[in-house]
Amino acid sequence: MDNGDPRRRTPRGQLKAPKFVRFHRDDNAAGCDEIFWEDPLTFTPRRGRNGYIDAWGIYPHDTSGIRDVPGPQISKRTMRTQDIYENYHLPIPEIQFINALIERKVSQLQEFDLGDLPKRDYTLYISLPFIEHLSYRRLDRYWRRIRVSGGTPLSVFADKVITPLWGWVRNLHAHVFHDFKDGALFGPKDCNAVDMMHLDKSGYAYIPEEPYYIAHFLRDPGDVMGYHYDFGDNWFVDIKLEEIASLEGSTGTVVVLDGAGGIPPDGEQTGSFSWADYLRKARHSTEGKRRAVDALFGATNYSGKQRLANPLDFDFDVFDLEGTRRAVREALDSKASLPHASKQFVSPVGGGLDSSVEALMLRLGVYPRNLKRGAVIVQTPVAGSRYTFLEEGVNETRRDNPGNTACACCGSPNDLKACGGCGQRYYCGKGCQKAHWREKHKNECKGARRH
């Protein structure tokens, strides 16, 4: 504030007072985007490709409509200013701006009347933009088409549908959903994934996703919402509503209908743009293809998978429909992930592991005693490594929140009741409960009750 003067020099060199946010006297606003001098309730959000508004509409875009985030500039500003504001228990100006947008969006959502949409089935076309098709630029090289209930909570959709749909690793990275109508962001509450350090390049803040359904954002055929996975490597997903079934013709069952393209890498510093670059080079040279295959099999989600003897024989475009259905089915028949205790890679020095409470807290970001009753810390070895493992918190005997889960048999989020024996799985009706009992739950239920 500099002797009471609220004005700061904008990136364009103009000295002026912001319309809404307040800068600390020790913050000269260097590196702050011009848009934060505006009023968050009246500003014009920036639009990108197809006229979409993503990430609150605060970031610039290049000539192709692709979000152009000045990462180094933002990181430098965050490092310089966060202590200034934390010492005074104040949010940085960027967060002040976003908080006003969050408050308005939450208020708007409270007034929505979804009618019977949460009970109706949606046909969704889910694709990876920015990756060129081999033959036709207007077609998607990677896509999946699914049927899912409009009442599916976003948290379940992300954890048990989208992640296995692409073959990514559950509870490893952060994510946000984008409402392309106004740029509002929704993500997992209290997420502590390692890539949350890049949240300032991914919208600064988001609304907890848990209370909201797919139907809150996709209400008419043709509506599109976005999904951003892994704030470090940056995978971008478009989710388009193609069809809404009649209430009478809806079952709530999750069905993978079709798709194209193989499993993209999760890790190896590879996201939408870098993987597109790998694929372009693979198309034009054998060395490029070898490097793309190496990147793929070096990724976390390819850990333990068998390579072909000749990497040039690998086909990036093979879509395994039955394998994808199986992966989604297995995710639905499992406990919800715990974003506040996300997976972390651990590589003990010299093979020795410090298992003290303090060491666990530093690695996982949460004290074991702060995990809710029924949750435990689990360590999973990484294939091909002698010492490295993934460590996360999981619900072992604690029930999922009935408002944020799905039928363990079919994936429906509607009319759920817990198993009367163990309480560890939910079902939408007696038919699914009996079918799942015969298939596998008979043995699981006995084990859970003994535990």
Side-chain angles (χ1 to χ4, degrees), residues 346-358:
V346 180
S347 298
V349 177
L353 176 64
D354 186 348
S355 58
S356 67
V357 169
E358 289 74 16

Side-chain angles (χ1 to χ4, degrees), residues 78-396:
T78 298
M79 291 179 64
R80 186 176 63 249
T81 60
Q82 59 186 358
D83 287 342
I84 294 174
Y85 288 91
E86 285 180 3
N87 290 339
Y88 287 86
H89 306 289
L90 297 171
I92 63 174
E94 293 87 342
I95 297 295
Q96 296 173 34
F97 191 93
I98 301 302
N99 282 346
L101 295 175
I102 288 176
E103 183 177 352
R104 180 178 66 179
K105 183 66 174 181
V106 170
S107 177
Q108 291 171 346
L109 288 170
Q110 290 173 346
E111 298 176 3
F112 279 179
D113 180 6
L114 297 178
D116 61 7
L117 289 178
K119 296 285 187 178
R120 295 170 69 178
D121 288 353
Y122 280 25
T123 299
L124 302 178
Y125 177 82
I126 304 176
S127 60
L128 301 184
F130 314 123
I131 299 178
E132 293 178 1
H133 190 275
L134 287 170
S135 303
Y136 303 101
R137 292 190 63 182
R138 292 190 177 185
L139 296 181
D140 295 306
R141 186 169 180 176
Y142 287 80
W143 59 270
R144 310 286 189 258
R145 180 174 282 110
I146 68 169
R147 190 175 171 99
V148 65
S149 173
T152 301
L154 294 185
S155 57
V156 176
F157 188 38
D159 181 35
K160 298 187 177 184
V161 180
I162 295 178
T163 304
L165 200 63
W166 294 110
W168 291 330
V169 181
R170 293 174 65 195
N171 206 31
L172 180 61
H173 294 297
H175 70 264
V176 284
F177 288 93
H178 295 247
D179 185 343
F180 283 151
K181 297 181 182 70
D182 58 12
L185 297 179
F186 299 80
K189 183 180 178 181
D190 299 328
C191 180
N192 75 336
V194 66
D195 48 301
M196 283 292 288
M197 69 174 68
H198 300 295
L199 183 58
D200 54 357
K201 277 81 73 179
S202 305
Y204 286 98
Y206 55 73
I207 300 169
E209 66 190 7
E210 288 74 14
Y212 304 107
Y213 311 143
I214 296 173
H216 278 100
F217 312 100
L218 302 178
R219 297 185 291 278
D220 297 296
D223 283 352
V224 182
M225 67 188 298
Y227 182 77
H228 179 187
Y229 172 73
D230 187 347
F231 300 160
D233 293 340
N234 299 304
W235 284 101
F236 297 100
V237 182
D238 285 349
I239 304 167
K240 181 178 181 179
L241 173 58
E242 290 189 324
E243 183 182 2
I244 302 177
S246 66
L247 189 60
E248 297 75 18
S250 297
T251 65
T253 302
V254 176
V255 182
V256 181
L257 300 170
D258 202 357
I263 295 175
D266 188 352
E268 282 296 287
Q269 298 181 332
T270 306
S272 291
F273 298 108
S274 53
W275 184 236
D277 188 53
Y278 269 118
L279 292 175
R280 278 193 295 269
K281 293 176 180 177
R283 188 177 182 182
H284 292 105
S285 73
T286 56
E287 180 59 26
K289 183 161 187 179
R290 290 181 189 277
R291 290 181 178 177
V293 172
D294 284 345
L296 202 62
F297 281 90
T300 306
N301 59 331
Y302 275 76
S303 175
K305 292 188 177 182
Q306 186 67 39
R307 291 178 180 236
L308 295 178
N310 183 359
L312 300 181
D313 292 334
F314 188 84
D315 188 345
F316 300 110
D317 296 291
V318 171
F319 173 63
D320 181 359
L321 177 58
E322 291 307 316
T324 303
R325 286 174 172 170
R326 185 166 54 251
V328 172
R329 176 74 179 80
E330 289 173 356
L332 290 168
D333 183 21
S334 69
K335 294 291 187 67
S337 296
L338 301 180
H340 67 276
S342 299
K343 285 186 174 76
Q344 310 288 336
F345 280 98
V346 180
S347 298
V349 177
L353 176 64
D354 186 348
S355 58
S356 67
V357 169
E358 289 74 16
L360 283 169
M361 191 278 166
L362 287 173
R363 294 200 302 264
L364 199 58
V366 59
Y367 276 108
R369 66 172 176 267
N370 289 340
L371 291 172
K372 293 181 179 179
R373 184 178 179 182
V376 297
I377 293 175
V378 171
Q379 297 168 344
T380 305
V382 173
S385 175
R386 185 176 179 183
Y387 298 118
T388 302
F389 57 87
L390 285 167
E391 188 170 64
E392 70 174 321
V394 300
N395 276 336
E396 185 178 52

